[in-house]
C-alpha cells in the first residue's frame, strides 16, 4: 500500500469520479485507474462501485477512507517536520482562499512578508468555495484557508479575522439613487444580482428576507463580487455585497450604496485549519501575519468610518 495510491483513492472518494480524482492528484485517468486496481488487488476487495454518474464507496472503501485520511495527514505532517529541521526558511504551506478580495488585495502582501522569513519554502495557493476548501483541508490536500464563517465541519478549527456589513448597491442612474436607505420590501421589488447559493453570504441574505416575509426576484447568481458590481454598474439590477468590496466604486461614483433598514447583516472572514493538527513554524508565521494584517486594517477602517459614515441611527438590527 503506497502513499500515492492512498492519495488517489481519497481524491476519488472526495470528488466522486475517477476523472475529477485524477485532476486533483495531477495524473491521467488511466494512471489513477491502475493505482486503484493495484490497491484493490493488494487488499483483495473492491473499494468502489461504479454508478451512472459517480462512484460509490463499498463498505471496505468507507473503512479504508477513514484510515487513509489519517495516514495522509500524518505523512504530510512528518514531511513538514523534517523539512523544518533543515532550517526555518524551508518548509511547505498549501493555502486556500474563498475570497477574491483576499486573493487580489491581501494575500500578496502577507506572502511577501512570509517569504522574508521562509525564503526557500514551497508555497501554493488555490481558490475555491469555502465548502470545497474545508473538504480539502480534511483530505490533507490543504494546510490552511481563508473562508467565509461559520464553518460547522467536525475536525476543523476556525479563527475570525474580519467582519464586514452587507449593503445594497445600485447604478447612479437608478431611480432611487439619491436615497440613503432601502428596506426589504423595496429590495424585493428589484431585480437582484446576488452571490451563488451555498455560500454563507447568500445564506445570510436569504435568511434576512425570509424573516422579513418577502420573496426575492433574483435575476442573476454570480460567483464573484467583482462580477456582481460590474453588472450593477451597467444598471442590470441591484446587488447586495460586503461594504468593503464596493467602497472604491462608491467613492469614485460608479455605484451608489444603500444601508438596508432594519438589518445588520454581517459577513465574516476567517482562517480554517485542522483541529489539533501539526502547525509548522511557517504556518505559525502565516497565521501571525494574517492576524496583524487584519488588525491593522480594522483599526484603519474604524478611523475612516468614524469620519465618513452617514448611516442613519436608531434602526433595528437583525443578528444571526
Amino acid at each position: 500500500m503506497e502513499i500515492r495510491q492512498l492519495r488517489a483513492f481519497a481524491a476519488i472518494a472526495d470528488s466522486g469520479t475517477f476523472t475529477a480524482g485524477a485532476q486533483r492528484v495531477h495524473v491521467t485517468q488511466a494512471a489513477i485507474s491502475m493505482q486503484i486496481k493495484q490497491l484493490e488487488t493488494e487488499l483483495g476487495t473492491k473499494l468502489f462501485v461504479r454508478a451512472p454518474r459517480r462512484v460509490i464507496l463499498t463498505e471496505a472503501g468507507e473503512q479504508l477512507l477513514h484510515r487513509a485520511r489519517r495516514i495522509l495527514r500524518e505523512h504530510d505532517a512528518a514531511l513538514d517536520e523534517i523539512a523544518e529541521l533543515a532550517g526555518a526558511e524551508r518548509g511547505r504551506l498549501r493555502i486556500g482562499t474563498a475570497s477574491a478580495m483576499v486573493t487580489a488585495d491581501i494575500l500578496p502582501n502577507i506572502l511577501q512578508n512570509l517569504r522574508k522569513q521562509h525564503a526557500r519554502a514551497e508555497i501554493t495557493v488555490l481558490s475555491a468555495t469555502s465548502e470545497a476548501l474545508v473538504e480539502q483541508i480534511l483530505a490533507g490536500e490543504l494546510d490552511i484557508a481563508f473562508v467565509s464563517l461559520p464553518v460547522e465541519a467536525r475536525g476543523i478549527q476556525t479563527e475570525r479575522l474580519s467582519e464586514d456589513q452587507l449593503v445594497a448597491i445600485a447604478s447612479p442612474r437608478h431611480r432611487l439613487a439619491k436615497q440613503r436607505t432601502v428596506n426589504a420590501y423595496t429590495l424585493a421589488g428589484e431585480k437582484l444580482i446576488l452571490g451563488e447559493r451555498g455560500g454563507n453570504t447568500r445564506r445570510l441574505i436569504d435568511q434576512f428576507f425570509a424573516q422579513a416575509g418577502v420573496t426575492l426576484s433574483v435575476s442573476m447568481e454570480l460567483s464573484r463580487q467583482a462580477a456582481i458590481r460590474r453588472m450593477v454598474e451597467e444598471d442590470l439590477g441591484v446587488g447586495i455585497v460586503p461594504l468593503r468590496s464596493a467602497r472604491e466604486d462608491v467613492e469614485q461614483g460608479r455605484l451608489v450604496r444603500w444601508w438596508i433598514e432594519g438589518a445588520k447583516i454581517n459577513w465574516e472572514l476567517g482562517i480554517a485549519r485542522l483541529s489539533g493538527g501539526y502547525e509548522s513554524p511557517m504556518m505559525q508565521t502565516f497565521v501571525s501575519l494574517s492576524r496583524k494584517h487584519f488588525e491593522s486594517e480594522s483599526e484603519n477602517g474604524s478611523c475612516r468610518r468614524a469620519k465618513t459614515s452617514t448611516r442613519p441611527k436608531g434602526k433595528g438590527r437583525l443578528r444571526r
Side-chain angles (χ1 to χ4, degrees):
M1 193 180 302
E2 300 178 7
I3 290 295
R4 65 186 181 89
Q5 294 172 339
L6 292 179
R7 204 176 294 283
F9 165 71
I12 295 169
D14 291 335
S15 63
T17 68
F18 274 69
T19 301
Q23 292 173 349
R24 276 199 178 190
V25 294
H26 309 293
V27 299
T28 65
Q29 187 171 344
I32 203 170
S33 296
M34 180 59 70
Q35 290 175 9
I36 298 304
K37 183 178 180 181
Q38 292 170 346
L39 186 57
E40 289 178 331
T41 299
E42 180 179 350
L43 296 173
T45 186
K46 287 287 185 182
L47 298 174
F48 296 106
V49 175
R50 292 180 182 269
R53 295 185 178 179
R54 60 180 292 115
V55 293
I56 302 171
L57 285 169
T58 63
E59 184 177 358
E62 291 177 354
Q63 291 292 328
L64 179 62
L65 182 60
H66 175 72
R67 297 283 185 180
R69 284 176 171 163
R70 182 183 300 174
I71 291 169
L72 291 172
R73 285 197 295 267
E74 290 297 323
H75 170 268
D76 292 344
L79 291 180
D80 288 339
E81 289 178 358
I82 293 170
E84 290 298 335
L85 294 176
E89 63 181 11
R90 291 184 178 271
R92 179 191 67 180
L93 190 63
R94 300 164 299 176
I95 305 163
T97 172
S99 169
M101 177 188 67
V102 168
T103 306
D105 302 331
I106 297 172
L107 193 54
N109 178 262
I110 293 174
L111 293 184
Q112 182 182 38
N113 288 313
L114 185 66
R115 283 289 190 191
K116 293 177 182 178
Q117 300 182 50
H118 304 271
R120 290 188 288 169
E122 178 187 344
I123 301 172
T124 58
V125 179
L126 174 70
S127 295
T129 64
S130 295
E131 183 179 359
L133 294 175
V134 168
E135 289 177 357
Q136 291 183 63
I137 292 173
L138 289 170
E141 298 171 2
L142 285 177
D143 301 306
I144 195 166
F146 292 101
V147 297
S148 176
L149 300 179
V151 172
E152 298 176 353
R154 295 182 60 184
I156 294 290
Q157 68 179 56
T158 61
E159 177 180 340
R160 185 170 72 87
L161 294 173
S162 177
E163 181 180 78
D164 199 6
Q165 185 161 353
L166 296 180
V167 296
I169 55 172
S171 163
R173 301 185 297 279
H174 193 282
R175 58 189 174 81
L176 303 177
K178 294 185 178 181
Q179 290 193 187
R180 293 168 58 196
T181 65
V182 291
N183 57 39
Y185 304 98
T186 299
L187 288 173
E190 298 287 339
K191 293 181 179 179
L192 294 179
I193 303 174
L194 304 178
E196 59 188 347
R197 292 182 184 275
N200 284 329
T201 302
R202 178 61 184 273
R203 178 183 60 79
L204 290 171
I205 293 170
D206 289 344
Q207 176 181 303
F208 166 66
F209 283 100
Q211 291 184 2
V214 297
T215 302
L216 301 184
S217 174
V218 181
S219 62
M220 299 185 196
E221 294 181 330
L222 305 174
S223 61
R224 296 295 180 187
Q225 297 292 329
I228 294 174
R229 297 195 305 271
R230 186 73 179 89
M231 293 295 183
V232 172
E233 185 181 342
E234 293 298 325
D235 205 14
L236 298 175
V238 170
I240 300 178
V241 299
L243 173 60
R244 186 183 291 114
S245 74
R247 180 174 286 134
E248 182 178 346
D249 288 319
V250 171
E251 290 176 348
Q252 295 186 5
R254 292 189 292 269
L255 296 172
V256 295
R257 177 213 64 211
W258 298 320
W259 300 112
I260 303 173
E261 291 182 8
K264 181 178 173 59
I265 316 174
N266 288 336
W267 171 78
E268 295 181 327
L269 176 78
I271 47 176
R273 55 196 189 276
L274 282 177
S275 298
Y278 168 72
E279 293 190 3
S280 67
M282 183 160 63
M283 182 186 287
Q284 294 173 21
T285 302
F286 178 79
V287 171
S288 177
L289 289 171
S290 298
R291 288 172 182 154
K292 288 178 181 178
H293 180 93
F294 282 97
E295 286 171 1
S296 174
E297 188 178 74
S298 177
E299 290 172 0
N300 293 336
S302 295
C303 293
R304 185 175 187 178
R305 284 192 298 272
K307 294 179 181 179
T308 63
S309 176
T310 57
R311 182 175 185 181
K313 298 181 180 180
K315 300 297 181 182
R317 291 183 175 183
L318 175 68
R319 297 187 181 273
R320 280 187 292 164

